[in-house]
Amino acid sequence: MGQTARVSAIAWTAAVSLAAWLWLLLCQGFFWRTDVRLPPERDPGTWPFVAVVVPARDEAEVLPASLPSLLAQDYPGRAEVFLVDDGSTDGTGELARDLAGRSGGLPLTVSSPGEPPPGWTGKLWAVRHGIGLARARGPEYLLLTDADIAHEPDSLRRLVAAAHAGGFDVVSQMARLRVESLWERLVVPAFVYFFAQLYPFRRIGRKGARTAAAAGGCVLLRAETAERARIPDAIRHAVIDDVALARAVKGGGGHIWLGLAERVDSVRPYPRLHDLWRMVSRSAYAQLRHNPLVLLGTVLGLALVYLVPPVAVVTGLATGSAATVVPGALAWLVMTGTYVPMLRYYRQPLWLAPLLPFTAFLYLLMTVDSAVQHYRGRGAAWKGRTYARPDAVVGEER
C-alpha cells in the first residue's frame, strides 16, 4: 500500500512537470527558439562616431585573440577603442599597447582608473572611467565589450546599422561562448538556454514588455541614453551588470534588443568543471537577491521541471506503472526537444539533449554552493575582488 502511494505521488508530480513543460513550450516567449538574430539593418546617411569601451582586469591570456579583432573593425565612420586596465597584475595594459602597435587599425587609448571607491564594482568603475574618456570626444554611440570578446570585421558596422534601422537605444548580442572541452559542451549551451528561459529574447525587444536583459560582452548603447539613464552610476552596485543596465534603460522608456550572435565570439576557455562551477556559483545567489525563500523556490522548481521527468521514467519502469512512465517520458521529450535548437546553434551533437537533466542538476548544486559561499562571508568573487552587497543587481560579468 505504501509503495503504491509513493508511485502515485510520483505519477502526479510527473503530470505537474509535464504541465509545466507544456506551459514553457507555448507560453514563455518561445524561449527555446534560436532565430532571434541581429535585426534588419539600414545604413545611416552619416555613420556616427562610436567609442568602444573595454574594461580589462588580468586579461593577458585572452587579449591577443580579441583586441586585434576590435582594432581591425571595418567601420565606415569614426571609431576609437578605450581599454581600461582595471588594476591588472599580468601586464594587460602593456600587452594592449604592444598589440595595437603591431596590428594598427582603430586608435587605441589605454588607461587605468585606480582601485574602485566603496560602493562600486571594479568592472563598472572601469566602464565609468572609459565612458568619461570617450565622452570628451563626443561619441554618438558606446560599444561596451569585454576583453575576451572577438568581433568579426563587420561587427561594429552591423550593430550600428541595426540600431539605426530599429531606433534601438541598446542593441546587445550574446556572444557565442567557447565549447571545446567535454565540460564546456555539457554546461555552456545550457547556460544560454537557461538565460533565455528566464529572459525570453522576443519579449526583451517588444515595446511595453517588462522583460529586460542584455549580454554584457557586447552592448551597443546610445551615448545620450547612457547619460539620461545615468549609466553606469545608477547601477554602480551591480555585481553583474548587463541585466541591470537593460533594466535602467528600459525603465527610462528606452527601446532595447537582445539576440544571439553569429559573428561575435568569446575566446575565454573553461576547460574544467571547476572553472565553469566557479563562473556560475560566484554570482548565482546574487541573481536570487540573496533571498533564502527564493533559493528554496528555485531548487524546488529546478527539481520539478528538470529532475522529476527522468526519475518518473526510471521509477515507472521499475514498478511497471504506465501512469508514471508516460507523463515523465513526455515531459522529458518536450525538454529534450526544446534544447535541440540551442545545441544546433552551438554545433554540438544532439545526443547531449537528453542529458539536460544532469546538467540542470549541476546548476542546482552550483546555486546551492553559491548560497553557502555567501553565508560563509565570501560573497561574489572575481579576480581577487569579493562583492557581498545583498542588494546587488546582477546579470553577467567577466
Side-chain angles (χ1 to χ4, degrees):
M1 186 70 174
Q3 181 178 355
T4 302
R6 284 195 297 272
V7 171
S8 178
I10 295 174
W12 277 107
T13 306
V16 174
S17 181
L18 174 60
W21 271 110
L22 292 175
W23 183 86
L24 288 169
L25 176 70
L26 301 173
C27 304
Q28 186 60 4
F30 295 100
F31 76 94
W32 44 271
R33 294 182 58 172
T34 57
D35 56 351
V36 181
R37 308 295 173 87
L38 206 62
E41 306 162 27
R42 186 176 71 251
D43 292 354
T46 302
W47 288 90
F49 170 34
V50 181
V52 182
V53 178
V54 186
R57 179 173 173 84
D58 292 335
E59 298 288 12
E61 180 183 0
V62 298
L63 217 55
S66 60
L67 184 59
S69 74
L70 272 177
L71 301 176
Q73 285 301 296
D74 180 18
Y75 182 65
R78 179 185 169 198
E80 293 185 34
V81 179
F82 298 84
L83 186 140
V84 184
D85 184 359
D86 179 21
S88 298
T89 59
D90 65 351
T92 289
E94 293 80 1
L95 176 60
R97 293 185 183 93
D98 181 62
L99 289 169
R102 286 187 276 134
S103 303
L106 299 181
L108 173 69
T109 298
V110 178
S111 63
S112 179
E115 283 298 304
W120 282 84
T121 64
K123 179 180 178 180
L124 288 173
W125 180 244
V127 168
R128 186 183 193 273
H129 182 73
I131 290 177
L133 292 174
R135 190 166 285 152
R137 311 279 213 281
E140 297 174 60
Y141 284 91
L142 302 165
L143 175 61
L144 310 181
T145 185
D146 288 339
D148 68 317
I149 302 299
H151 295 255
E152 292 295 323
D154 62 349
S155 174
L156 181 57
R157 179 186 61 76
R158 295 190 63 198
L159 284 166
V160 171
H164 171 73
F168 294 108
D169 296 284
V170 169
V171 172
S172 179
Q173 290 186 288
M174 180 161 283
R176 200 189 305 258
L177 305 177
R178 199 188 90 143
V179 281
E180 295 182 11
S181 71
L182 172 62
W183 288 112
E184 286 172 336
R185 294 172 188 273
L186 279 171
V187 175
V188 166
F191 175 83
V192 181
Y193 173 88
F194 294 145
F195 184 92
Q197 192 175 80
L198 288 172
Y199 305 103
F201 296 160
R202 278 176 171 74
R203 292 182 181 172
I204 291 169
R206 190 185 307 155
K207 284 187 175 181
R210 297 179 59 185
T211 306
C218 179
V219 178
L220 184 73
L221 171 65
R222 288 185 189 272
E224 62 178 2
T225 299
E227 191 166 358
R228 185 170 60 248
R230 297 178 54 248
I231 302 295
D233 296 59
I235 59 171
R236 63 187 179 277
H237 303 311
V239 172
I240 305 176
D241 57 280
D242 43 15
V243 172
L245 182 149
R247 286 174 177 168
V249 171
K250 201 163 193 179
H255 191 192
I256 66 177
W257 182 91
L258 171 65
L260 295 172
E262 296 175 316
R263 301 170 66 75
V264 179
D265 299 278
S266 171
V267 298
R268 189 182 304 282
Y270 293 100
R272 303 169 300 167
L273 176 60
H274 169 74
D275 303 315
L276 289 158
W277 192 290
R278 186 178 62 171
M279 185 267 287
V280 174
S281 67
R282 65 185 172 83
S283 60
Y285 195 41
Q287 181 73 55
L288 305 180
R289 300 181 182 275
H290 302 104
N291 188 320
L293 292 179
V294 177
L295 172 66
L296 177 62
T298 299
V299 169
L300 293 176
L302 284 170
L304 173 67
V305 173
Y306 290 100
L307 305 185
V308 165
V311 169
V313 170
V314 172
T315 302
L317 290 175
T319 60
S321 170
T324 304
V325 171
V326 171
L330 288 175
W332 199 352
L333 181 63
V334 175
M335 179 197 317
T336 300
T338 61
Y339 192 38
V340 165
M342 188 61 69
L343 289 174
R344 284 179 173 162
Y345 169 73
Y346 270 97
R347 306 182 186 99
Q348 296 304 302
L350 299 188
W351 59 262
L352 290 170
L355 300 182
L356 186 57
F358 170 73
T359 305
F361 181 61
L362 289 178
Y363 273 90
L364 186 155
L365 296 179
M366 293 173 193
T367 302
V368 172
D369 182 51
S370 180
V372 171
Q373 291 180 37
H374 171 77
Y375 289 114
R376 285 181 176 176
R378 296 176 184 174
W382 180 240
K383 293 191 176 181
R385 291 196 180 114
T386 300
Y387 306 107
R389 286 186 57 89
D391 57 340
V393 181
V394 300
E396 180 186 7
E397 180 184 25
R398 289 191 173 85

